[in-house]
Amino acid sequence: MEAINASIGFDRRLYAQDIAGSRAHAAMLAATGILTDSDAEAIREGLLTVLSEIEGGRFDFRTDLEDIHMNVESRLRDLIGPAAGRLHTARSRNDQVAVDFRLWVRDQCDAAISGITELIRALLAQAEAGADWVMPGFTHLQTAQPVTWGHHMMAYVEMLGRDMGRFQDARARMNECPLGAAALAGTSFPIDRHMTAAALGFDRPTANSLDSVSDRDFALEYLSAASICAMHLSRFAEELVIWSSAQFRFVRLPDRWTTGSSIMPQKKNPDAAELIRAKIGRILGATVALFTVMKGLALTYSKDMQEDKEQVFDAADSLMLALAAMSGMVAHMTANRPVLAAAAASGFSTATDLADWLVRTLGLPFRDAHHVTGTLVKCAEDRGCDLPDLTLAEMQAVHAGITADVFSVLGVENSVRSRQSYGGTAPDQVRAQVARWQARLA
């Protein structure tokens, strides 16, 4: 029973939040006359001593005391005597753990926002440097149209910007204080819940005591946001694995973020990227696990909810590690510009530019222009060359209206410069988006 019931093995991570909540509660009890000033002062000093002991590694965590709350309270009693027992007036472990965990998850939202911001800054630096470096854009992992390195980096900036917004939204929604809900019904003591909410940095107290002690939406929202963010990191990690391969050679990853082989001296393995790619499994698994724990629980608190923390702790650790590792790789990776440019020109990547020219210059319906372009691509394939290498005569044999002006749109540099629509890949557009994000972060 002790083994299955105790949570101190993992909820000790909540010690700072637990002590902060107890200090706020004690101050409120004194302000409302429920606790004497002398008891409140003894509790305050005692809690600071407990905090110092834990942070200094001198605290003896005991499994027989079950959780962080009872461990702190027991040590407080050792330090100040019976006054420690008055700290628990007008509260329960149910609202105590609810406020501790909410404070911890709120801190993790802040940490995630900070980690995402660092990664976005690294991506912006890459995008600004490579705003006009051409590379292939892909659909189905097949060459589609030329884009720029900067444009590709900015795609992940947009993804991460949405991730940042999700954490900000989740943080705003969870910023209500459950302390004072007591076991489930509130308390008959004349407490001031607005005072404790303000002391702990919450916007307001929660409005329903039943919901206060049984709600874990804040943890589920954090995990959901973390899962989407980890999915984005995994997508980029997959591209880095592909791009750094000998077959692609699009990027060179810094040595500090790769490993060697135990038997093949030529190998440079993108292990950090591969591990980031795998983190989504753990984080999404934690999300599914907590949803499954919560889905069948009647109001209010059940001990099932003790299974919430380990999942969130592991997901938060995994996300922050993945963000830090990705930031390190992005900040120090080097694009192989000649290889990117050569790849951008391969696979008839300017075929769409040719079709657009036929529509814009000759007035062909797009479907007809699509057919003409496809025929010209077949001609180039038969000759073993790319579209710009076809002669004007060969093009006119397919459509007599084609003029020499067509060659102005067939180079990859011309192609990317022409994509001037808002959000397009043209270097000017990329630089504008970089500037917008730099201003937003500032």
Side-chain angles (χ1 to χ4, degrees), residues 112-360:
I113 291 167
S114 178
I116 291 169
T117 300
E118 182 181 355
L119 177 52
I120 287 176
R121 290 190 190 282
L123 287 164
L124 289 175
Q126 286 282 354
E128 190 170 33
D132 56 359
W133 301 349
V134 292
M135 66 174 290
F138 297 96
T139 60
H140 310 278
L141 205 56
Q142 306 293 315
T143 300
Q145 293 176 266
V147 295
T148 58
W149 174 262
H151 195 51
H152 201 110
M153 296 299 105
M154 291 303 295
Y156 284 100
V157 169
E158 292 296 325
M159 293 182 213
L160 290 162
R162 294 192 295 273
D163 292 326
M164 186 186 297
R166 275 182 278 271
F167 283 114
Q168 290 167 336
D169 291 346
R171 190 195 193 284
R173 233 180 326 274
M174 71 178 65
N175 208 33
E176 297 181 342
C177 184
L179 190 60
L184 76 161
T187 178
S188 59
F189 288 95
I191 62 173
D192 185 347
R193 293 191 62 207
H194 289 85
M195 178 180 174
T196 49
L200 294 170
F202 289 104
D203 294 331
R204 65 192 70 85
T206 51
N208 184 283
S209 61
L210 298 172
D211 179 56
S212 299
V213 299
S214 61
D215 168 44
R216 293 299 182 269
D217 288 2
F218 62 92
L220 289 167
E221 278 203 77
Y222 170 80
L223 288 174
S224 299
S227 294
I228 298 173
C229 183
M231 177 269 294
H232 290 149
L233 297 178
S234 183
R235 293 183 71 181
F236 195 22
E238 169 71 357
E239 294 202 308
L240 294 180
V241 170
I242 294 171
W243 289 356
S244 62
S245 68
Q247 288 70 32
F248 270 72
R249 296 184 297 116
F250 281 7
V251 298
R252 179 179 176 83
L253 296 178
D255 289 344
R256 72 183 74 176
W257 295 106
T258 59
T259 66
S261 166
S262 61
I263 65 170
M264 294 170 284
Q266 83 283 7
K267 293 292 293 299
K268 186 175 180 181
N269 299 322
D271 283 9
E274 292 169 0
L275 289 165
I276 292 170
R277 188 174 56 185
K279 290 297 183 186
I280 177 62
R282 291 177 69 161
I283 296 172
L284 182 59
T287 308
V288 173
L290 185 54
F291 269 106
T292 307
V293 167
M294 295 301 299
K295 73 174 184 64
L297 298 186
L299 294 180
T300 57
Y301 182 83
S302 296
K303 197 63 180 256
D304 310 49
M305 294 165 68
Q306 183 168 289
E307 293 296 312
D308 56 1
K309 296 167 200 63
E310 286 181 283
Q311 308 292 341
V312 179
F313 291 162
D314 184 73
D317 291 345
S318 294
L319 179 65
M320 294 310 299
L321 184 57
L323 284 168
M326 185 62 84
S327 295
M329 282 192 294
V330 171
H332 298 101
M333 69 182 181
T334 305
N336 190 338
R337 290 184 62 187
V339 172
L340 288 171
S346 68
F348 308 106
S349 64
T350 56
T352 306
D353 297 276
L354 173 55
D356 288 346
W357 183 89
L358 292 169
V359 171
R360 188 171 54 250

Side-chain angles (χ1 to χ4, degrees), residues 35-46:
L35 198 65
T36 66
D37 289 340
S38 59
D39 281 347
E41 177 63 16
I43 289 170
R44 187 187 76 85
E45 292 298 324

Side-chain angles (χ1 to χ4, degrees), residues 6 15 31 60 88 139 171 182-183 249 256 285 305 341 367 413 423 430:
Y15 73 87
D60 180 24
H88 209 53
T139 60
R171 190 195 193 284
R249 296 184 297 116
R256 72 183 74 176
M305 294 165 68
R367 288 302 174 195
E413 301 282 353
V430 172

